[in-house]
Amino acid sequence: MPRWVIQHVLSLQTHFKVIVNRIGGLPLFFFVVAGTAIVWSMLRKRRLASSSDSQRSRTGRSSSLATVSRGVRGLDGVRRITVGLDTSISVVLQRDEASGLVSLDQSALASFSKLVSRFDVFIIVRVDNDESEEQVHEAFKASGLFQHGLNPLKIIFCETAVGRVSSVRQLEPHLHVDCDLVIVSELQRFIRKLLYVNMEGSGSSSIGPNVMECTSLDKLFE
């Protein structure tokens, strides 16, 4: 029981001490019970008020996300976004062939910063080993995206395409972004909206009416 509740009960006991001494010890039990009930009622009201404030905060956050999504091409009503990445070729990651190190493509960083600052973004990266996982995490840390709204805990790693598909389905995003056409094709039956980033810039996905296509994230913010 919180300390302030105990203090209130003791205070009530003090106020009624004289009366109790005069009319006997039995009423003390009833006074304590009544005082405890009053204080517990006060505690319950405080908890309800706190819960109400928390709910308003969550509602405000959802409204804010919904507001910023308007005006971004094709993303009306979108709040949660998952982004599928590979260390070899992806929307924002790139691997240096000479050193083998993974870094973020600076040309795509501005658009990605807008994405993580405006939406609730989860990143699902397919990696081959623990070393690549560490490189990806350090690349995101060095990019400054954590300061723009990206939560480090929302960077998820997997080893296979099947693992990425499974992770996306569990997260149930409003939109999934991916440059892997096979994964987009697999998810189009389960996810409301998908964005296929065609890195080759040629051909057309023609997967389904819920799949958008572009050559880079910049197209979303034009």
Side-chain angles (χ1 to χ4, degrees), residues 25 36 38 53 89 99 102 130 214:
T36 303
I38 293 172
D53 291 341
I89 179 172
S99 65
V102 177
D130 293 341
C214 65

Side-chain angles (χ1 to χ4, degrees), residues 90-95 102-113 139-140 143 145 199 216:
S90 65
V91 177
V92 68
L93 287 178
Q94 60 183 9
R95 183 187 291 275
V102 177
S103 62
L104 267 66
D105 183 356
Q106 295 300 311
S107 64
L109 190 56
S111 296
F112 210 77
S113 296
F140 275 108
S143 71
L145 287 172
M199 305 292 290
S216 69

